[in-house]
């Protein structure tokens, strides 16, 4: 049977269902949704904040932050100018599109990418800490397999690694207020004239990190 929305690759159907799905997400996990909105709007503000360069020109700068382990992240989304090239290949005419990066930051892409990029950077910090702690615990264990925020090891090490993953998460977030740290970093990247426009992030919830080690299925 033919896919009913195949005429546009499902675009209209996806566009139709996107809003009720998002409304359901906001309704069920309102606090993370509010944080996502804050991240997006603040990143947009930072990406639009202009600074006067030594040559007198006005320039915007990439959004930056630092993970709890000290790794610097730079979200370099620049506007691009598309240039189409007409050429020949195997006797036929083809058109290639070349993108030339401009000096101005793309504030929309910075806004859309902020939430996932920041969360991924925290996941990466957690992964690095978990592997580091596991290596110390096993005196040199190096057999790991990772896909994003899924952790893998030999079956014999499963229980030990699972425990280290949970303890690393507790250590990472108990010792660091990652939202407040990000807020201070983003505020410092604004032109002084724009600092008054930034809002404080949503209040944190009451999650007890001490309960994480008791969860059997905290991670896959």
């Amino acid at each position: 049977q033919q896919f009913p929305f195949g005429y546009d690759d499902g675009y209209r159907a996806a566009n139709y269902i996107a809003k009720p799905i998002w409304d359901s997400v906001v309704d069920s996990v309102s606090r993370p949704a509010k944080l996502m909105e804050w991240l997006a709007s603040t990143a947009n503000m930072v990406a639009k904040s202009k600074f006067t360069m030594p040559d007198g020109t006005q320039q915007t700068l990439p959004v930056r932050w630092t993970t709890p382990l000290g790794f610097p992240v730079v979200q370099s989304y620049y506007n691009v100018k598309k240039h189409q090239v007409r050429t020949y290949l195997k006797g036929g005419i083809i058109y290639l599109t070349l993108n030339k990066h401009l000096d101005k930051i793309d504030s929309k892409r910075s806004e859309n990418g902020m939430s996932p990029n920041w969360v991924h950077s925290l996941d990466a910090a957690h992964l690095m800490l978990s592997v580091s702690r596991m290596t110390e615990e096993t005196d040199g264990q190096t057999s790991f397999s990772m896909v994003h925020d899924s952790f893998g090891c030999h079956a014999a090490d499963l229980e030990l690694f699972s425990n280290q993953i949970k303890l690393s998460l507790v250590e990472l977030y108990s010792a660091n207020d990652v939202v407040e740290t990000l807020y201070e970093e983003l505020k410092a990247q604004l032109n002084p004239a724009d600092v008054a426009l930034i809002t404080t992030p949503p209040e944190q919830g009451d999650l007890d990190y001490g309960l994480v080690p008791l969860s059997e299925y905290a991670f896959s």
Side-chain angles (χ1 to χ4, degrees):
Q1 185 177 0
Q2 187 178 5
F3 180 58
F5 305 106
Y7 62 92
D8 66 347
D9 293 326
Y11 177 80
R12 290 183 62 188
N15 191 55
Y16 173 81
I17 200 64
K19 188 178 186 306
I21 289 177
W22 175 247
D23 290 343
S24 298
V25 170
V26 171
D27 183 58
S28 59
V29 286
S30 60
R31 200 178 296 271
K34 290 179 181 178
L35 180 59
M36 285 179 62
E37 292 177 359
W38 179 85
L39 288 167
S41 62
T42 305
N44 181 282
M45 187 184 305
V46 172
K48 288 181 176 179
S49 192
K50 296 181 179 180
F51 292 85
T52 303
M53 298 294 106
D55 60 0
T57 60
Q58 295 283 307
Q59 188 170 333
T60 52
L61 301 174
V63 181
R64 309 180 306 279
W65 65 90
T66 309
T67 72
L69 298 187
F71 186 85
V73 182
V74 180
Q75 190 172 257
S76 298
Y77 290 128
Y78 287 91
N79 286 330
V80 297
K81 181 178 181 181
K82 296 183 181 297
H83 178 65
Q84 195 172 67
V85 178
R86 180 175 181 268
T87 186
Y88 292 90
L89 179 66
K90 297 182 178 179
I93 299 175
I94 63 171
Y95 293 89
L96 303 176
T97 301
L98 303 179
N99 293 330
K100 179 182 179 181
H101 287 267
L102 306 178
D103 291 335
K104 186 178 180 181
I105 295 295
D106 187 332
S107 59
K108 192 62 179 178
R109 290 182 66 198
S110 297
E111 173 185 332
N112 292 336
M114 184 65 201
S115 293
N117 289 340
W118 182 63
V119 171
H120 291 333
S121 73
L122 294 177
D123 287 343
H126 179 214
L127 185 153
M128 293 169 65
L129 185 60
S130 299
V131 169
S132 177
R133 293 289 182 264
M134 183 65 174
T135 302
E136 293 174 359
E137 187 72 18
T138 59
D139 194 26
Q141 170 65 275
T142 59
S143 297
F144 302 104
S145 177
M146 312 297 184
V147 179
H148 184 43
D149 52 0
S150 295
F151 303 74
C153 65
H154 289 307
D157 300 319
L158 176 61
E159 185 174 355
L160 178 60
F161 193 27
S162 176
N163 190 48
Q164 290 302 317
I165 291 169
K166 290 182 280 191
L167 292 177
S168 294
L169 183 138
V170 174
E171 177 183 346
L172 197 68
Y173 292 102
S174 295
N176 301 278
D177 187 337
V178 293
V179 176
E180 180 65 23
T181 299
L182 178 67
Y183 168 62
E184 294 297 335
E185 282 197 87
L186 295 180
K187 186 166 63 173
Q189 295 171 52
L190 289 169
N191 185 304
D194 299 328
V195 171
L197 301 176
I198 190 173
T199 60
T200 56
E203 292 184 2
Q204 295 190 39
D206 56 359
L207 175 65
D208 184 358
Y209 294 114
L211 298 177
V212 173
L214 303 179
S215 173
E216 185 175 359
Y217 302 106
F219 296 94
S220 60

